[in-house]
Every structure is written in C-alpha cells, then in structure tokens.
Amino acid sequence: MQIMTKAVLAVGLLACVLLSAVQVAAKKPPQAACAVINGACVTGSCNGECGPLFPATCACIHN
C-alpha cells in the first residue's frame, strides 16, 4: 500500500511541476528594449545600445 501511495504522490508532484513550468513559459512578460532603472538607461532586448534619443529619455540606438 505504501508503494502505491508513494507512486501516486510522485506522479502528482511531477504533474504539478510540469504544469507550473508550462504556465511560467507561456506568461513571460515582454521585455522592453530599454528602460530607465534608478536613473540609468538599461538595455533589455535592444540589439544596439540604449541612450537618450529625442523625444524619449531612453531608447534603443542601433549601430
């Protein structure tokens, strides 16, 4: 009986972990190309550099 209970609990735990991983992967927030963090312009998903570009205070500057 203990072996059956452990097997059921292990399968349930594995299913829970897999479903959680799928949910996290599906709900990734889109990253901003550049963002102002603590007063500094920080690169997110920008292919170039981030810097001041009128009219934005922080924008992606492609090289």
Side-chain angles (χ1 to χ4, degrees):
M1 186 70 178
Q2 286 182 348
I3 293 173
M4 180 86 125
T5 303
K6 287 181 182 180
V8 168
L9 289 175
V11 168
L13 179 62
L14 180 63
C16 183
V17 169
L18 289 176
L19 287 174
S20 294
V22 167
Q23 287 178 346
V24 167
K27 292 186 178 182
K28 282 188 175 179
Q31 275 191 341
C34 299
V36 177
I37 299 176
N38 293 332
C41 193
V42 178
T43 302
S45 60
C46 181
N47 291 334
E49 294 181 2
C50 288
L53 185 65
F54 185 79
T57 56
C58 187
C60 189
I61 302 170
H62 295 286
N63 292 335

